[in-house]
């Protein structure tokens, strides 16, 4: 339990639970091939058991379960032996391409 400003103990809130769960999500370093950069995300078991079994998650869905990463990442595969590990990829130089596009958009105005 935590204490509020009046020093009365309060039960853990749903927010506390979400923060704890998010802190248990583990992110790999990025790795690369000629086309994509990749990373994997390891979910706590209590979150992983809520995942759909036969489909990939949209960006809104994986963000809703607490996964936090920069733009452009796509959940691209399910590793059946370890469904609690989410596999992500995005095109190489994605962020640089986005910055270049934004600068072009500004210059065109």
């Amino acid at each position: 339990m935590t204490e509020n400003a009046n020093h009365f103990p309060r039960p853990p809130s749903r927010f506390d639970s979400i923060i704890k769960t998010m802190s248990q999500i583990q992110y790999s370093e990025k790795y690369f091939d000629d086309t994509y950069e990749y990373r994997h995300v390891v979910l706590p078991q209590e979150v992983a058991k809520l995942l759909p079994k036969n489909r990939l998650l949209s960006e809104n869905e994986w963000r809703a379960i607490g996964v936090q990463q920069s733009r452009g990442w796509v959940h691209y595969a399910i590793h059946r032996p370890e469904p609690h590990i989410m596999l992500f990829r995005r095109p190489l130089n994605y962020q640089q391409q986005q910055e270049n596009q934004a600068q072009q958009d500004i210059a065109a105005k």
Side-chain angles (χ1 to χ4, degrees):
M1 287 199 189
T2 57
E3 294 184 10
N4 64 19
N6 296 325
H7 304 289
F8 294 107
R10 66 172 176 78
S13 70
R14 178 159 165 71
F15 181 75
D16 293 335
S17 175
I18 291 168
I19 295 298
K20 180 180 180 218
T21 299
M22 288 174 64
S23 70
Q24 294 173 340
I25 295 173
Q26 299 174 10
Y27 299 86
S28 75
E29 295 295 322
K30 297 174 191 172
Y31 42 101
F32 308 88
D33 65 15
D34 293 338
T35 308
Y36 294 101
E37 62 181 326
Y38 301 89
R39 77 175 336 164
H40 58 272
V41 175
V42 181
L43 300 173
Q45 291 296 336
E46 62 269 13
V47 174
K49 64 184 172 186
L50 302 174
L51 295 177
K53 303 285 186 245
N54 297 312
R55 69 175 181 82
L56 301 172
L57 272 60
S58 70
E59 181 174 350
N60 287 338
E61 290 173 315
W62 54 257
R63 287 192 187 281
I65 62 169
V67 175
Q68 297 180 335
Q69 16 185 27
S70 55
R71 296 178 133 185
W73 292 101
V74 175
H75 181 212
Y76 78 97
I78 297 170
H79 182 55
R80 300 264 182 237
E82 297 178 302
H84 65 288
I85 300 177
M86 298 181 72
L87 304 172
F88 290 91
R89 72 179 180 192
R90 69 178 175 185
L92 283 177
N93 302 318
Y94 176 85
Q95 288 183 302
Q96 184 63 45
Q97 292 170 7
Q98 295 303 304
E99 290 170 12
N100 291 345
Q101 183 62 48
Q103 289 175 351
Q104 290 174 2
D105 292 346
I106 291 169
K109 291 182 179 181

